[in-house]
Amino acid sequence: MSYTDTKTYSVSWYNYLGSKVFTVYTQGYFGYDFNSVEPHHVDSWYQKHIIFNPWQVSNWQEGGQAISSTLAEVYCSGRYSWGYTIAGNYFAVQDKYIKVYITCNRFGQTSGGWIDN
């Protein structure tokens, strides 16, 4: 089996004023043999960039998984939100699910991407 170098993929989000709010990172490498591929998750994390950043992260997940016998991914995902708590009830102003990932095929070709909804 051959192995890719360790890959890091990141995506940043910005507020309406153009300031960077946070960046999400995932890191891993892959083993491949032209018939199959296996993921090896190394680390995933997020970084807040502005002072008094109201964004909270819940349901954080990270790891590696086979998508098919010829495609695998390393990833991190979570629900990012900010809002207000009034009388014990949380009201989200913005709420989004974010997943950042790196995929690799059985030939060792990698690419990164993200889902933001």
Side-chain angles (χ1 to χ4, degrees):
M1 187 160 275
S2 298
Y3 293 90
T4 66
D5 293 335
T6 299
K7 306 289 184 183
T8 303
Y9 189 77
S10 65
V11 180
S12 297
W13 279 263
Y14 298 82
N15 65 17
Y16 65 93
L17 298 173
S19 298
K20 189 185 296 186
V21 178
F22 57 86
T23 303
V24 182
Y25 303 83
T26 194
Q27 186 176 66
Y29 65 95
F30 300 87
Y32 63 97
D33 62 7
F34 303 101
N35 292 312
S36 62
V37 61
E38 60 183 36
H40 297 274
H41 178 263
V42 174
D43 197 10
S44 293
W45 67 98
Y46 60 91
Q47 179 180 9
K48 294 180 178 183
H49 296 290
I50 58 175
I51 298 173
F52 305 116
N53 191 321
W55 288 89
Q56 298 177 15
V57 182
S58 60
N59 299 325
W60 179 259
Q61 296 180 356
E62 58 186 71
Q65 64 184 4
I67 296 172
S68 69
S69 63
T70 60
L71 188 66
E73 72 177 4
V74 295
Y75 70 93
C76 62
S77 64
R79 176 132 328 259
Y80 291 70
S81 65
W82 72 274
Y84 303 95
T85 302
I86 300 172
N89 296 309
Y90 180 74
F91 298 95
V93 174
Q94 282 188 293
D95 182 62
K96 56 176 61 196
Y97 168 80
I98 294 174
K99 178 180 179 180
V100 175
Y101 59 88
I102 304 168
T103 60
C104 182
N105 66 21
R106 64 186 176 150
F107 303 110
Q109 298 166 321
T110 61
S111 65
W114 74 95
I115 297 170
D116 173 359
N117 60 14

